[in-house]
């Protein structure tokens, strides 16, 4: 995960939380594969740049997502970035390049316009200041560069039913110390949640053209409900995970 985007040094308890090896730093393979296929299509399209391109995975966690994407992106350079030293140690066992960087302070360790694409997977929901994060991503992307953002869907099909029943939605959290009022067992530090409409409006307002929105399943859905969760991906506004492709203006 990347650091929460607060001015100056983030609160110490949040740093300790994300440096804890017990906190999940990877999401499911189905989401990673779908996102990688979206990026591969974008990089091979008629308007794609020629030759090897630079893809930066911001908030790379343990490197699983980048390693999953790499076989679908032959000839391109994938660089993982995270501020968690524990995550970087694990990422370096999976991907060739993994460097420390933050979305705040001095910004990411890349020149303006140096990236052809950014993977931003399951990160934005952890940020105090997502606006500043999108500004920094826009800075490092070249004009026309690709943003591949994924995040849990507040309006996922099961969350709609849970809210009607007065139950806290999946993915939402009220504490860093435990689960209260919702299904699930893991505390993962979500601070913000998006619907499909809100995500598209937010990204567009940050200086990007939204190209496509797709859905992906959630690995934490109980096994008997997984066929229904995969079916819901046909309607992104109902899917568990939102996969958004946008281009820098």
């Amino acid at each position: 995960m990347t650091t929460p985007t607060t001015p100056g040094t983030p609160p110490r308890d949040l740093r300790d939380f994300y440096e804890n090896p017990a906190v999940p730093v990877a999401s499911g393979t189905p989401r990673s594969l779908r996102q990688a296929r979206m990026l591969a299509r974008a990089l091979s399209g008629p308007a794609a740049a020629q030759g090897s391109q630079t893809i930066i995975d911001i908030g790379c966690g343990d490197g699983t997502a980048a390693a999953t994407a790499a076989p679908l992106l032959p000839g391109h350079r994938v660089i993982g970035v995270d501020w968690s030293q524990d995550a970087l140690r694990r990422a370096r066992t999976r991907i060739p390049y993994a460097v420390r960087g933050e979305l705040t302070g001095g910004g990411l360790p890349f020149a303006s316009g140096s990236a052809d694409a950014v993977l931003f997977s399951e990160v934005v929901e952890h940020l105090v200041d997502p606006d500043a994060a999108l500004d920094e991503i826009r800075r490092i992307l070249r004009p026309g560069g690709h943003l591949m953002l994924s995040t849990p869907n507040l309006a996922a099909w099961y969350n709609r039913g849970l809210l009607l029943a007065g139950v806290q939605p999946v993915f939402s959290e009220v504490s860093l110390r435990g689960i209260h009022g919702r299904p699930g067992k893991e505390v993962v530090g979500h601070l913000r949640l998006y619907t499909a409409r809100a995500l598209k409006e937010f990204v567009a307002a940050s200086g990007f053209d939204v190209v496509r929105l797709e859905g992906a399943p959630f690995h934490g859905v109980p096994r008997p409900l997984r066929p229904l969760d995969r079916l819901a991906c046909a309607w992104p506004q109902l899917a568990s995970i939102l996969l958004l492709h946008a281009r820098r203006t």
Side-chain angles (χ1 to χ4, degrees):
M1 308 298 178
T2 56
T3 181
T5 54
T6 54
T9 303
R12 186 66 195 173
D13 58 334
L14 283 173
R15 281 194 177 275
D16 288 344
F17 176 80
Y18 289 118
E19 286 287 5
N20 182 351
V23 173
V25 290
S27 55
T29 300
R31 190 276 300 157
S32 299
L33 281 173
R34 287 177 184 236
Q35 190 174 45
R37 290 185 187 115
M38 288 176 70
L39 178 55
R41 289 196 300 268
L43 294 180
S44 62
Q50 299 299 312
S52 178
Q53 298 184 58
T54 299
I55 302 158
I56 299 176
D57 183 3
I58 299 175
C60 66
D62 66 1
T64 299
T68 300
L72 300 178
L73 304 167
H76 302 309
R77 182 172 64 158
V78 181
I79 303 172
V81 182
D82 210 293
W83 68 262
S84 167
Q85 296 289 7
D86 177 73
L88 286 172
R89 280 192 293 271
R90 288 183 270 173
R92 287 170 182 145
T93 68
R94 293 183 171 93
I95 54 179
Y97 309 103
V99 300
R100 193 175 188 281
E102 304 194 17
L103 288 163
T104 53
L108 295 167
F110 303 103
S112 298
S114 60
D116 297 289
V118 163
L119 289 170
F120 200 44
S121 307
E122 319 297 303
V123 177
V124 71
E125 64 270 16
H126 297 266
L127 303 180
V128 173
D129 189 354
D131 302 279
L134 266 289
D135 288 345
E136 180 64 0
I137 289 172
R138 191 174 186 277
R139 180 189 70 80
I140 67 169
L141 275 173
R142 63 169 174 80
H146 304 278
L147 168 63
M148 297 291 173
L149 184 157
S150 68
T151 191
N153 183 9
L154 174 61
W157 60 275
Y158 40 81
N159 279 345
R160 298 178 185 227
L162 290 173
L163 276 171
L164 285 174
V167 178
Q168 187 83 7
V170 176
F171 308 125
S172 66
E173 295 184 327
V174 299
S175 170
L176 292 179
R177 298 178 181 176
I179 299 297
H180 303 290
R182 70 161 174 84
K185 298 179 181 178
E186 293 180 334
V187 178
V188 293
H190 290 175
L191 303 179
R192 299 184 182 275
L193 289 175
Y194 300 80
T195 64
R197 177 177 176 178
L199 183 65
K200 289 191 291 185
E201 290 184 3
F202 165 61
V203 171
S206 300
F208 294 85
D209 289 329
V210 174
V211 177
R212 186 175 180 83
L213 184 72
E214 295 186 8
F218 174 46
H219 63 278
V221 169
R223 188 173 299 275
L225 297 177
R226 289 179 185 176
L228 184 57
D229 194 43
R230 289 193 295 269
L231 179 64
C233 294
W235 299 274
Q237 68 272 21
L238 296 176
S240 287
I241 305 296
L242 301 171
L243 303 178
L244 182 138
H245 171 205
R247 300 193 70 176
R248 182 198 185 280
T249 56

